[in-house]
Short mmCIF file of all heavy atoms in Angstrom, two decimals:
data_model
loop_
_atom_site.label_atom_id
_atom_site.label_comp_id
_atom_site.label_asym_id
_atom_site.label_seq_id
_atom_site.Cartn_x
_atom_site.Cartn_y
_atom_site.Cartn_z
N ALA A 314 -47.37 50.52 0.87
CA ALA A 314 -46.09 49.90 0.51
C ALA A 314 -46.36 48.42 0.27
O ALA A 314 -47.35 47.87 0.74
CB ALA A 314 -45.06 50.09 1.62
N LEU A 315 -45.47 47.79 -0.48
CA LEU A 315 -45.55 46.35 -0.70
C LEU A 315 -44.84 45.66 0.45
O LEU A 315 -43.70 45.99 0.77
CB LEU A 315 -44.89 45.99 -2.04
CG LEU A 315 -44.86 44.51 -2.41
CD1 LEU A 315 -46.27 43.96 -2.60
CD2 LEU A 315 -44.05 44.31 -3.68
N HIS A 316 -45.54 44.73 1.08
CA HIS A 316 -44.97 43.98 2.19
C HIS A 316 -44.81 42.52 1.76
O HIS A 316 -45.72 41.94 1.18
CB HIS A 316 -45.88 44.05 3.42
CG HIS A 316 -45.94 45.41 4.05
ND1 HIS A 316 -45.72 45.60 5.38
CD2 HIS A 316 -46.19 46.64 3.52
CE1 HIS A 316 -45.83 46.89 5.66
NE2 HIS A 316 -46.12 47.53 4.54
N VAL A 317 -43.66 41.94 2.08
CA VAL A 317 -43.39 40.54 1.78
C VAL A 317 -42.93 39.89 3.07
O VAL A 317 -42.02 40.40 3.74
CB VAL A 317 -42.31 40.39 0.68
CG1 VAL A 317 -42.04 38.92 0.39
CG2 VAL A 317 -42.71 41.13 -0.59
N ARG A 318 -43.56 38.77 3.43
CA ARG A 318 -43.18 38.10 4.68
C ARG A 318 -43.36 36.60 4.56
O ARG A 318 -43.93 36.10 3.59
CB ARG A 318 -43.99 38.66 5.85
CG ARG A 318 -45.45 38.26 5.83
CD ARG A 318 -46.26 38.76 7.02
NE ARG A 318 -45.54 38.80 8.26
CZ ARG A 318 -45.77 39.67 9.23
NH1 ARG A 318 -46.72 40.57 9.10
NH2 ARG A 318 -45.08 39.63 10.35
N ALA A 319 -42.90 35.90 5.55
CA ALA A 319 -43.04 34.45 5.58
C ALA A 319 -44.52 34.07 5.57
O ALA A 319 -45.34 34.75 6.19
CB ALA A 319 -42.36 33.88 6.82
N ALA A 320 -44.85 32.99 4.89
CA ALA A 320 -46.24 32.57 4.76
C ALA A 320 -46.86 32.21 6.11
O ALA A 320 -48.08 32.32 6.27
CB ALA A 320 -46.34 31.38 3.81
N ASP A 321 -46.05 31.81 7.07
CA ASP A 321 -46.61 31.47 8.39
C ASP A 321 -46.78 32.69 9.29
O ASP A 321 -47.20 32.57 10.43
CB ASP A 321 -45.76 30.39 9.07
CG ASP A 321 -44.35 30.86 9.40
OD1 ASP A 321 -44.02 32.05 9.19
OD2 ASP A 321 -43.55 30.02 9.87
N GLY A 322 -46.44 33.88 8.77
CA GLY A 322 -46.64 35.12 9.51
C GLY A 322 -45.53 35.45 10.50
O GLY A 322 -45.61 36.48 11.19
N THR A 323 -44.52 34.62 10.59
CA THR A 323 -43.44 34.89 11.54
C THR A 323 -42.50 35.96 10.98
O THR A 323 -42.38 36.15 9.77
CB THR A 323 -42.62 33.63 11.84
OG1 THR A 323 -42.07 33.13 10.62
CG2 THR A 323 -43.51 32.57 12.48
N GLY A 324 -41.84 36.65 11.87
CA GLY A 324 -40.86 37.67 11.48
C GLY A 324 -41.52 38.94 11.00
O GLY A 324 -42.73 39.01 10.80
N ASN A 325 -40.70 39.94 10.83
CA ASN A 325 -41.18 41.22 10.33
C ASN A 325 -41.25 41.19 8.81
O ASN A 325 -40.41 40.57 8.17
CB ASN A 325 -40.26 42.35 10.78
CG ASN A 325 -40.34 42.58 12.28
OD1 ASN A 325 -41.41 42.46 12.87
ND2 ASN A 325 -39.21 42.91 12.88
N PRO A 326 -42.21 41.91 8.24
CA PRO A 326 -42.29 41.94 6.78
C PRO A 326 -41.18 42.79 6.19
O PRO A 326 -40.71 43.73 6.82
CB PRO A 326 -43.66 42.57 6.52
CG PRO A 326 -43.95 43.39 7.72
CD PRO A 326 -43.30 42.66 8.87
N ARG A 327 -40.77 42.42 4.98
CA ARG A 327 -39.86 43.26 4.22
C ARG A 327 -40.73 44.31 3.53
O ARG A 327 -41.70 43.96 2.85
CB ARG A 327 -39.11 42.42 3.20
CG ARG A 327 -38.16 43.22 2.38
CD ARG A 327 -37.36 42.31 1.49
NE ARG A 327 -36.41 43.07 0.71
CZ ARG A 327 -35.77 42.61 -0.32
NH1 ARG A 327 -35.94 41.35 -0.70
NH2 ARG A 327 -34.93 43.36 -0.98
N VAL A 328 -40.41 45.58 3.71
CA VAL A 328 -41.24 46.66 3.18
C VAL A 328 -40.55 47.27 1.96
O VAL A 328 -39.40 47.70 2.03
CB VAL A 328 -41.49 47.74 4.25
CG1 VAL A 328 -42.33 48.88 3.68
CG2 VAL A 328 -42.17 47.13 5.47
N ILE A 329 -41.28 47.29 0.84
CA ILE A 329 -40.75 47.86 -0.40
C ILE A 329 -41.57 49.11 -0.72
O ILE A 329 -42.77 49.02 -0.97
CB ILE A 329 -40.84 46.84 -1.55
CG1 ILE A 329 -39.99 45.61 -1.19
CG2 ILE A 329 -40.40 47.45 -2.87
CD1 ILE A 329 -40.10 44.47 -2.16
N PRO A 330 -40.93 50.29 -0.69
CA PRO A 330 -41.65 51.54 -0.97
C PRO A 330 -42.18 51.58 -2.40
O PRO A 330 -41.59 50.97 -3.31
CB PRO A 330 -40.61 52.63 -0.74
CG PRO A 330 -39.34 51.97 -0.42
CD PRO A 330 -39.54 50.49 -0.42
N LEU A 331 -43.28 52.32 -2.60
CA LEU A 331 -43.93 52.37 -3.90
C LEU A 331 -43.99 53.79 -4.45
O LEU A 331 -45.05 54.27 -4.86
CB LEU A 331 -45.32 51.77 -3.80
CG LEU A 331 -45.36 50.31 -3.35
CD1 LEU A 331 -46.78 49.85 -3.12
CD2 LEU A 331 -44.66 49.43 -4.35
#
Side-chain angles (χ1 to χ4, degrees):
L315 178 64
H316 291 232
V317 180
R318 71 178 324 150
D321 65 5
T323 59
N325 291 324
R327 180 174 181 194
V328 179
I329 299 173
L331 300 174

